Amino acid sequence: MTQDTALDMKDVELNEIDPEKQPMAAGAEDLPVAGEKNGVVKVKLEDEDDEIGTRAQKFTGLSKEELLKVAGTPGWVRVRWALLVLFWLGWAGMLAGAVVIIVQAPRCRPLPAMEWWNKGPLYQLGDPKNFQDSDNNGIGDIVGIQNRLDSLSTLKVKGLVIGPLHVTSANSLSDTKLKEIDIQYGTIDNFKGLLEAARKKSIQIILDLTPNYRGEDEWFSKNMTAPDSELTNQIKDAMNFWLELGVGGIYFNGIEDMYDPDELLLEFRNITANHSSDGKARVLLASANDPHGDNVLTILNNATTGMLTTRYLFNNANDKSLGERIKQYQEPASDQDRILWAVRPRLGHMASVVHEKLLHVYQLLLFTLQGIPLTLYGDEIGLKDLPGKPASSSGPYMQWDSSKNHGFSDGATDLAFDVNENITFKAQEQDKTSILSLYKRLSELRGKERSLLHGDFRLLDHTNTSLAFERSWDQNERFVSVVNLDPEIEIDVSLENKNLPEQCSVVLSSNPERKEGSSVSLKNIKLAAGEALLLKYPYSP
């Protein structure tokens, strides 16, 4: 190896040494120019990033004066105006588009006026002596009702129809004191306590003032209810008394036996209206013992009262199908605030009127028809009337649990419960397939679903064994009720309509084999014997 070659290799080795290990120069002035070392000239190339960073540091941008000078040039002024015009044109276009969407979108129907009695079921206690005994004498009383308000509130009822409670003797007007409470039920202070306790539960008390409730003719005679008669004046005075005390409404039965029901009901309605102030609406309820009479339909058609109840709506006393009877009352009562559905509460409990397998059917109808559902105490658990004792004279005792006297009374003896031995409120609370569970579910649905609360009614199908109708409101979900009125035979129902979808989903059914949320074809619905089926489908524009 030559000396020159050796020097070159040594230089390479020196260059490959880690810079940190290379000997430090004595000073910058001792370094060769341009990185010259040992006779070798090295040229240092700047990294690209360093070069960019250096240029960025050197660029200082335009000064304020320079920016103002440039911004004032005609070109930039035109650009700014063009951008400003484009911005406002875009904003105006979006606004116009939003207006078009709003105008073309389907408008929501205005909600009808809803009072407290429109928002849930009414529960008719009737004579308190059968509901709950508080002093162990075997007679239900006002305090007993108050003691059971917690259970009643689970039903989401909005009003309790109580009474009559007033002092009277059968067929004796002179012994009738409409402003005095019969002592067997309690005192006026007991009644005030009930009003206050119920108010805290958001439950109103409706007082039955049917005058001659212990006699054969509830109004003594037609002549006694003529305008400005002694009885009529006493009724008006009593209505003002109880309304001022705080009751939510007044109830009368047997209106077809009044001398001039249209005129009297209008006068009574004016009294309740006069007390409906400060957000405390009061209602007038009236019912007929013979709803199949022509005079009742006339009253219903011309009514200016708050509501009318139809006691025999589901009674098979004529040859018309259930659908025809419903339609008969629905047409004159197109305003749902004027009809209140009931299943003969005066003359018997539901379980004593209809087949046991149809109890779910009639509960479904009560809660999904247009109008206000009214149920008699015990109908929520399928309570039956005592054999040989019509409900109008002596109804069954309410059965709460499996304790002594089924919770009705702790001290009384010789109370009859045989016909309803295995029926209690508490037991059905734990049974999801019970009538009580169905009642609670329907009551909840009716209180929150607008189609069920105040929706339109459309009859879809009605035969001697089936009934189907739709409830709808504006852009909300639609509900379809379909029932099999035959307790023994399975039937097929076909609902084909251009305004109905092919499929609906199950909301609830009395048939345990049908699962909630499952799909059902409306063209072929197989209903089990006595099945009550509630379906729904979404709104489609």
Side-chain angles (χ1 to χ4, degrees), residues 467-485:
L467 174 66
F469 55 87
E470 180 192 53
R471 297 294 309 281
S472 62
W473 177 261
D474 200 24
Q475 301 173 43
N476 294 269
E477 283 187 316
R478 275 77 166 117
F479 289 84
V480 177
S481 295
V482 192
V483 298
N484 181 358
L485 299 170

Side-chain angles (χ1 to χ4, degrees), residues 125-254:
L125 283 170
D127 193 338
K129 69 181 180 182
N130 301 316
F131 192 69
Q132 180 65 57
D133 174 22
S134 68
D135 53 9
N136 299 326
N137 65 352
I139 300 175
D141 46 46
I142 295 172
V143 175
I145 297 173
Q146 183 174 337
N147 293 341
R148 290 296 182 180
L149 285 178
D150 284 342
S151 295
L152 293 174
S153 66
T154 66
L155 303 178
K156 297 186 177 354
V157 297
K158 298 303 179 183
L160 303 180
V161 183
I162 299 176
L165 305 176
H166 55 263
V167 173
T168 187
S169 295
N171 306 313
S172 175
L173 178 58
S174 61
D175 291 332
T176 299
K177 312 296 181 184
L178 295 178
K179 294 191 294 184
E180 297 180 17
I181 294 178
D182 191 321
I183 192 61
Q184 70 171 325
Y185 302 129
T187 65
I188 189 69
D189 289 334
N190 295 149
F191 190 77
K192 290 178 180 178
L194 173 62
L195 287 175
E196 178 61 20
R199 183 189 62 80
K200 292 179 180 179
K201 299 285 186 182
S202 299
I203 298 175
Q204 294 288 334
I205 302 299
I206 302 168
L207 185 61
D208 189 339
L209 276 183
T210 306
N212 189 26
Y213 65 97
R214 288 179 178 157
E216 295 180 1
D217 188 338
E218 293 175 317
W219 296 89
F220 297 103
S221 71
K222 284 184 177 291
N223 292 334
M224 296 192 73
T225 54
D228 299 323
S229 68
E230 178 183 355
L231 175 60
T232 300
N233 290 333
Q234 187 179 155
I235 291 173
K236 293 177 182 178
D237 185 43
M239 287 181 67
N240 283 306
F241 173 80
W242 293 111
L243 289 168
E244 289 174 4
L245 196 66
V247 300
I250 302 295
Y251 174 85
F252 295 109
N253 183 51

Side-chain angles (χ1 to χ4, degrees), residues 261-280:
D262 285 333
E263 181 64 26
L264 280 180
L265 291 175
L266 178 58
E267 291 187 39
F268 295 161
R269 179 70 179 94
N270 289 337
I271 294 175
T272 56
N274 290 337
H275 288 272
S276 298
S277 59
D278 301 325
K280 298 178 181 178

